[in-house]
Each structure stands twice: as structure tokens, then as C-alpha cells.
Amino acid sequence: ASMGRTLVELFYDVISPYSWLAFEVLCRYRHIWNIDLRFRPAFLGGIMQQTGNKPPAMLPKRGEYLLKDMKRMAKYYQVPLRMPTDSLQHILGTSSLMAMRFITAISTTNPQYLEPLSREFWMRFWSQHEDISQPENILVVAKQAGLSPELSQKALEMTSSAAVKDQLKETTAEALKFGAFGMPAVVAHYDGKPHLFFGSDRLELLGSIIGEKWLGPVPS
């Protein structure tokens, strides 16, 4: 982090709707708080597997609550997230591995596209309820995010490379090292140590720890 700024890392996966909320709020606070925001694309499936965690929707009552919660949160956070009624099938039937490898490839070659690309993946999956696991659909997302066909094609080829696979595994392992058990995992490096915050509803607490003022999810 640059002088006097707090490094805040956001470990996220585009399959996670709460990650989208945290992502948008942190993007809004990036120029309000004295922070350096670092996007860390990781693989939620790997974190769940390593920690024995289960998606909240696996528990029927929790799944019911999740639908209502998301609806309220989307409105409050002003993020165009819409939960499909069959959200359980929607989430469990989709692997984000390819998407997260693609995002990882772009983060290493063209990091300036990392933010718009991640946002477009969430938009496609959580707003339009379209597939993000097939190569042709990943290319559509990339185009929406402003990537050239050449760059998209190159990144797609990189998803099968050992370098990109290892990079995603490493980032996921790093999230685990900080104590993550789900997503989003926000890590603030403050006072010489990492502070982990889980979920999109702990950003107020993050602010208080790093000495910044919370102005709600839509500071304007």
C-alpha cells in the first residue's frame, strides 16, 4: 500500500452474490476512504471444499431467507442483483472455475480490465440469469467489458495453462491462510496485521477498525 494508505484486499468469486455487493460498495469507497483496494479473484468452490463449508441455500430455510435477503440487500445497496426463483439450481448447476480462471488470466496480463470484467460476469449471471461457464458465453462477457476479441481469445487460451491454474489456486490458498471460509473475504492490513471480514455487511466494521467513517452502502 502507498504511504499511509490501508491495503484492503477483496477475495471474491463471481458465483457469489454477496461478493458483488461488497465489490460495488468497496469500489464506491475507494476514493472516499484512505485505502488501496486490491481485487483478488479466487475460487469459492476450493474454499468451501477446504473448510467443509456448504452453500447457505443447501439448507431449505436458509435458502428461503437468502432469496428475501438478497432482494432487500440489492435495493439497499443499489446493485441490480435479481435472485432467480430457482436460485439453488442456478448456483449449484454452475461452475465458476472457468470464469475465475479467465478473470485471473486478465488480472495478470491486463489488470485495467479486472474491475469491468468482474462486474460484467456478475451482471450476466446475477442480473440477466445467463450462463457464465461456457467459453462462448465468457467471450460475450469479455466483449461487454470492453476487451478486444484478440485479448479475449488469448485469455481464454490461458485458462488451460498451468500458470493461470496455479495463480488461482495460490490466491485461493492465500484467502484460506487469512482465515476465509466463504466469500466475500475482505482483508484489511492495518496496524501491522491482517483483519478478516466475512460478507458484504461487515464493511461498517471494517471502517471502524481502520479509522474511517461509514456513510452507508451508497455514499454520495
Side-chain angles (χ1 to χ4, degrees), residues 94-103 117 121 124 130-144 147 149 151-160:
T94 301
S95 168
S96 62
L97 186 58
M98 187 77 161
M100 294 317 295
R101 280 179 182 162
F102 187 86
I103 292 170
L117 179 65
F121 269 109
R124 184 171 170 90
E130 299 280 353
D131 173 77
I132 56 164
S133 63
Q134 298 303 312
E136 61 272 22
N137 296 328
I138 288 174
L139 290 175
V140 171
V141 173
K143 190 177 180 208
Q144 292 293 125
L147 279 74
L151 182 55
S152 304
Q153 201 51 55
K154 187 182 156 214
L156 198 59
E157 282 158 23
M158 285 173 72
T159 57
S160 53

Side-chain angles (χ1 to χ4, degrees), residues 1-218:
S2 48
M3 200 56 198
R5 293 172 84 79
T6 301
L7 171 64
V8 174
E9 300 186 82
L10 170 66
F11 292 90
Y12 67 93
D13 185 320
V14 293
I15 202 84
S16 154
Y18 288 105
S19 289
W20 189 12
L21 299 177
F23 171 89
E24 295 298 357
V25 174
L26 286 170
C27 282
R28 293 165 191 165
Y29 271 91
R30 195 170 27 184
H31 305 299
I32 297 173
W33 285 355
N34 195 21
I35 59 172
D36 279 331
L37 180 59
R38 189 172 172 210
F39 299 119
R40 307 296 309 277
F43 183 48
L44 180 57
I47 288 191
M48 296 302 237
Q49 201 181 356
Q50 293 288 318
T51 58
N53 196 353
K54 302 249 184 305
M58 295 283 288
L59 190 68
K61 282 291 172 207
R62 208 172 162 193
E64 271 169 48
Y65 176 78
L66 186 76
L67 286 174
K68 291 185 192 130
D69 191 44
M70 270 300 152
K71 204 172 172 176
R72 294 185 295 214
M73 295 282 272
K75 194 178 170 190
Y76 181 50
Y77 279 62
Q78 292 183 26
V79 174
L81 199 162
R82 296 179 306 120
M83 288 299 267
T85 35
D86 60 340
S87 62
L88 184 58
Q89 271 51 54
H90 186 59
I91 308 166
L92 297 181
T94 301
S95 168
S96 62
L97 186 58
M98 187 77 161
M100 294 317 295
R101 280 179 182 162
F102 187 86
I103 292 170
T104 299
I106 288 299
S107 78
T108 56
T109 60
N110 299 78
Q112 72 273 25
Y113 288 116
L114 187 52
E115 184 187 329
L117 179 65
S118 301
R119 184 175 285 117
E120 288 300 335
F121 269 109
W122 275 303
M123 285 293 284
R124 184 171 170 90
F125 193 68
W126 287 110
S127 212
Q128 296 147 4
H129 305 156
E130 299 280 353
D131 173 77
I132 56 164
S133 63
Q134 298 303 312
E136 61 272 22
N137 296 328
I138 288 174
L139 290 175
V140 171
V141 173
K143 190 177 180 208
Q144 292 293 125
L147 279 74
S148 70
E150 299 75 39
L151 182 55
S152 304
Q153 201 51 55
K154 187 182 156 214
L156 198 59
E157 282 158 23
M158 285 173 72
T159 57
S160 53
S161 72
V164 165
K165 289 179 180 176
D166 289 347
Q167 174 70 50
L168 183 59
K169 276 187 195 135
E170 259 164 57
T171 307
T172 306
E174 214 171 313
L176 285 161
K177 190 188 79 191
F178 286 128
F181 52 88
M183 298 243 175
V186 181
V187 178
H189 298 268
Y190 187 75
D191 236 4
K193 55 181 182 285
H195 302 259
L196 171 75
F197 301 88
F198 169 65
S200 54
D201 55 353
R202 285 292 180 272
L203 302 172
E204 192 174 338
L205 187 58
L206 161 70
S208 97
I209 297 270
I210 65 172
E212 294 284 355
K213 198 169 166 38
W214 174 248
L215 307 163
V218 191

